[in-house]
Amino acid sequence: MNGSNRAPDDRPVVFMATTQQPYHPRHYHLMAVGLHRAGVPARMVAQPDHAEHPPGPVPVVFVEVSPGRLARFLSAPRVIRAALALRPRVVHVTSLDLLPWAVLLRTFARVPVLYDSNEDYPADILLKEWLPRPARTVLSRVVGRVEPWCAARLDAVTLADEGTAANFAGIGTPLIVIYNFPWLEMLGGADADDVEPEFDVSYHGSLPQLYLDPLLATARILHDRGVPARWCLVARDYRDEERSALEERIRRAGLLDRMTLRYNQPFTEMPGLLRASRLGFIPLPDRPKFHRNLPRKLFEYLAAGRPAVVSDLPPIRRLVGDAGCCVLVRPGDPVESADALQELLTAPNRAREMGERGRRLVADRLNAEREVGPYVDLVRRLGAGVRNGG
């Protein structure tokens, strides 16, 4: 049978995770949806999370929840069995927990395996507040060696930015950077600016202490100045006990009446939530991780046509420092952050112009339509049998 008469390969690309993030903004809404739009079947295998999600174009196979980090690591065989039952043409591993297992999977199942390093994990471990400080240092060093060693034995590595790619320099495995840019359909149109926003400042994503401390300090300064800023915090992956702790912390700061809290919102609702606010705020600390990684929420503010006050760190400065769509402030300086937010809130025309520049930046360059093409090509080559190392 010649190639033109060959039946199309309907085996899916299977994304595997041990985390409770089946609809991850990157793995599901960017990568898996990108494959689906290119006509490549995709499936997701993961634990269910805490949100109610509308049906998406990529089917999800849910595995039993494994609470706790050790249980999550040990759940890998169950996740792998669920993935192999789908007869994958390619497996894309999206959890660091699964990386050692991925080497075994590629060796014994003889299926192409990719690994996604979503962030600088060795630097990220140094920020983990639940770990004793000495343990963070040791674990960071271990991951810094094991991650590239395992990745060198796989078929390709995908990365969210050039900074993380430096962790894998010289391993011989193909590397491809796929930035977390939004789809063009997430762009806020001109009509969105005609609606009076419900909030003045928003923040969305995880809220560890390193982010929450400068955010509350900034909000308190504005409050003390008599600036009646209305805040919306959209907290991701929050359980009931975490909600109570967050609300108690905000109450102690005397800001509960200024803050609207939303929990575990589906990613598909984020464009509307961001357009319901005048400004975004991204108070990243000056730590090694943020000298390499870019916050995905920055691109989402740009797509929504909302200017953001963002920590002035090297990756952010290189990307948008001269674009006129954000105000960069000194990391860890709540007074400078409050000054920038107050200035934009009292200059709505300037804020609107900055938001429009950000929207145009996404429309012209920083969009998923331009970003996912090389990834789709890579997956097709691997599915056709072009493997790393022959």
Side-chain angles (χ1 to χ4, degrees):
M1 181 181 293
N2 61 39
S4 61
N5 294 324
R6 189 175 298 153
D9 189 349
D10 61 354
R11 293 175 301 154
V13 176
V14 176
F15 293 79
M16 289 196 320
T18 54
T19 57
Q20 290 183 257
Q21 292 184 303
Y23 295 94
H24 191 281
R26 173 175 175 83
H27 303 138
Y28 186 94
H29 287 284
L30 177 62
M31 292 175 155
V33 168
L35 291 174
H36 171 80
R37 293 182 178 189
V40 179
R43 301 288 186 272
M44 179 69 65
V45 176
Q47 300 179 31
D49 63 6
H50 307 287
E52 293 291 332
H53 297 271
V58 175
V60 178
V61 175
F62 293 108
V63 294
E64 182 183 348
V65 173
S66 299
R69 294 173 179 87
L70 178 60
R72 199 168 63 209
F73 177 78
L74 296 175
S75 73
R78 185 168 67 248
V79 175
I80 291 171
R81 283 196 299 272
L84 291 178
L86 298 171
R87 297 180 57 250
R89 73 164 89 178
V90 175
V91 170
H92 202 151
V93 171
T94 64
S95 298
L96 181 64
D97 299 335
L98 279 168
L99 185 53
W101 300 92
V103 177
L104 297 174
L105 176 64
R106 183 184 189 269
T107 302
F108 295 106
R110 299 188 179 278
V111 60
V113 179
L114 288 76
Y115 167 61
D116 185 61
S117 190
N118 187 33
E119 54 193 332
D120 185 344
Y121 286 115
D124 185 61
I125 287 168
L126 296 174
L127 305 178
K128 299 300 184 185
E129 297 160 356
W130 52 272
L131 274 173
R133 196 171 296 276
R136 297 181 210 174
T137 302
V138 172
L139 188 56
S140 174
R141 290 173 180 168
V142 169
V143 170
R145 288 174 170 79
V146 171
E147 190 182 27
W149 187 91
C150 290
R153 286 148 180 81
L154 302 179
D155 290 287
V157 177
T158 56
L159 309 118
D161 46 57
E162 296 286 352
T164 305
N167 293 344
F168 300 89
I171 66 171
T173 301
L175 306 178
I176 178 171
V177 175
I178 307 162
Y179 284 94
N180 291 316
F181 294 158
W183 295 100
L184 289 173
E185 65 201 40
M186 294 180 68
L187 289 173
D191 57 336
D193 293 333
D194 296 332
V195 178
E196 180 68 17
E198 183 180 358
F199 307 106
D200 295 304
V201 187
S202 70
Y203 172 89
H204 65 290
S206 59
L207 262 175
Q209 206 73 15
L210 325 157
Y211 300 177
L212 186 59
D213 287 346
L215 187 150
L216 292 180
T218 300
R220 186 70 224 183
I221 291 169
L222 289 174
H223 182 274
D224 292 344
R225 290 177 181 176
V227 179
R230 301 161 297 169
W231 290 72
C232 180
L233 305 187
V234 186
R236 188 185 70 202
D237 300 331
Y238 261 58
R239 298 182 294 272
D240 288 343
E241 61 272 20
E242 293 170 317
R243 299 183 191 193
S244 298
L246 175 61
E247 289 163 14
E248 174 60 19
R249 176 73 197 282
I250 294 172
R251 186 192 65 77
R252 290 201 309 269
L255 295 167
L256 203 55
D257 61 334
R258 307 307 310 167
M259 302 268 179
T260 296
L261 303 177
R262 306 267 177 91
Y263 298 101
N264 306 331
Q265 300 293 302
F267 181 72
T268 50
E269 293 184 10
M270 289 312 305
L273 284 169
L274 299 186
R275 288 195 290 271
S277 183
R278 298 179 189 278
L279 309 173
F281 186 36
I282 310 177
L284 301 178
D286 189 2
R287 301 291 182 87
K289 169 180 165 57
F290 302 111
H291 283 249
R292 289 190 166 193
N293 293 162
L294 282 160
R296 183 182 59 246
K297 57 179 66 67
L298 172 61
F299 308 128
E300 293 161 2
Y301 283 127
L302 299 181
R306 296 298 181 257
V309 172
V310 193
S311 297
D312 186 0
L313 294 161
I316 296 170
R317 191 184 315 124
R318 284 194 294 269
L319 189 74
V320 298
D322 59 355
C325 57
C326 299
V327 177
L328 304 186
V329 296
R330 191 163 43 245
D333 190 333
V335 173
E336 190 169 321
S337 295
D339 289 344
L341 290 169
Q342 184 174 356
E343 183 177 343
L344 288 175
L345 289 173
T346 56
N349 290 336
R350 180 189 173 213
R352 192 174 298 112
E353 290 169 2
M354 292 176 66
E356 185 54 36
R357 289 190 202 107
R359 186 184 287 138
R360 287 199 302 267
L361 193 60
V362 171
D364 293 343
R365 291 193 294 114
L366 308 185
N367 58 73
E369 280 80 357
R370 291 172 59 97
E371 195 68 11
V372 299
Y375 171 62
V376 173
D377 292 342
L378 169 67
V379 167
R380 283 177 169 152
R381 289 196 304 273
L382 291 174
V386 181
R387 305 286 301 279
N388 180 31

